[in-house]
Amino acid sequence: MAKRGYHHGNLKQALVEAALTLIADRGPQGFTMAEAAKLADVSAAAPYRHFTGREELITELARQGFILFADLLEFAYKDGQPSPLTAFEAVGRAYLAFARAHPGHYVAMFESGISPRATPDLAAASQRANAVLLRAAADLSARIPEAQRPPTEMFAAHVSAMSHGIVELYARGTPGARAPFSPEDLLETGIGIYLRGLGLLACDTDRDERG
């Protein structure tokens, strides 16, 4: 067989796609550049035309992931329509949908140890996604009296932490293996409890607010 060379239609993206498969299956430390090259069907030296090593390759996965993530969050948020509460809950559901649809990107973004400020491009993509979460939190928490209102960053961080925890514990593997409830139901009820604690939801008006 002829030795594989450097020539590939889109070598950089082929390596990204290969790494997405490997990182979803094995985790960020579970593959080598040589394995990514083999899966992309190029020579072991070919990846180094675009990436200095595995960390730089994972950084590119994270950058592309945050772009997809921000697109999905913005689509879900719909500029806060039809109401801040409905839009806020849609953003939470979009978080779970992204983790399920893009496991390789999700791992690179949140579980690889790569700083979201590792490169200017990654930082910009991460900040764009975070801006949607902050806007959703700000719009909804504006209904809380200012003296009782948590910082917007804290509000958004609480919901992000809840969403991430549900992804880690309940949205992976066999559905229902760890809880008899769907991840979406767990997130919706968890957010509901959190919002009631802040005085943003009353039990008897919950259904009306969602409508």
Side-chain angles (χ1 to χ4, degrees):
M1 294 180 62
K3 184 178 180 180
R4 290 174 299 178
Y6 289 115
H7 301 293
H8 197 286
N10 188 345
L11 174 58
K12 183 175 182 178
Q13 193 59 31
L15 292 166
V16 166
E17 296 297 329
L20 285 172
T21 299
L22 292 168
I23 199 173
D25 290 342
R26 306 183 189 178
Q29 306 303 322
F31 74 96
T32 65
M33 291 291 280
E35 289 173 318
K38 182 177 180 180
L39 190 58
D41 196 30
V42 296
S43 71
Y48 297 97
R49 296 188 65 189
H50 295 285
F51 304 104
T52 58
R54 183 175 58 188
E55 182 170 321
E56 192 169 293
L57 175 55
I58 294 174
T59 298
E60 175 61 15
L61 267 60
R63 185 193 70 82
Q64 293 187 16
F66 273 114
I67 291 172
L68 292 170
F69 190 45
D71 288 344
L72 184 59
L73 294 182
E74 288 175 349
F75 179 80
Y77 188 56
K78 296 180 181 177
D79 291 326
Q81 299 301 317
S83 72
L85 176 59
T86 300
F88 188 84
E89 291 180 334
V91 168
R93 289 191 294 271
Y95 193 113
L96 296 185
F98 176 82
R100 187 177 285 121
H102 302 281
H105 286 114
Y106 189 89
V107 171
M109 293 157 60
F110 298 115
E111 300 174 15
S112 66
I114 299 293
S115 169
R117 296 179 294 277
T119 68
D121 287 344
L122 175 56
S126 173
Q127 288 166 6
R128 179 174 156 236
N130 194 51
V132 183
L133 297 172
L134 290 173
R135 190 162 69 249
D139 288 350
L140 188 56
S141 64
R143 298 165 58 190
I144 304 173
E146 187 172 357
Q148 303 169 24
R149 189 184 308 160
T152 299
E153 292 80 1
M154 180 182 290
F155 192 120
H158 285 160
V159 176
S160 293
M162 189 185 308
S163 302
H164 186 72
I166 289 172
V167 168
E168 291 299 305
L169 293 174
Y170 303 111
R172 291 184 175 173
T174 303
R178 297 190 182 184
F181 314 103
S182 72
E184 289 77 12
D185 285 346
L186 289 169
L187 182 61
E188 183 174 343
T189 55
I191 288 177
I193 291 168
Y194 178 72
L195 296 181
R196 286 188 183 94
L198 292 172
L200 281 167
L201 277 185
C203 293
D204 58 350
T205 61
D206 189 0
R207 185 179 299 275
D208 292 337
E209 289 287 347
R210 282 185 173 81

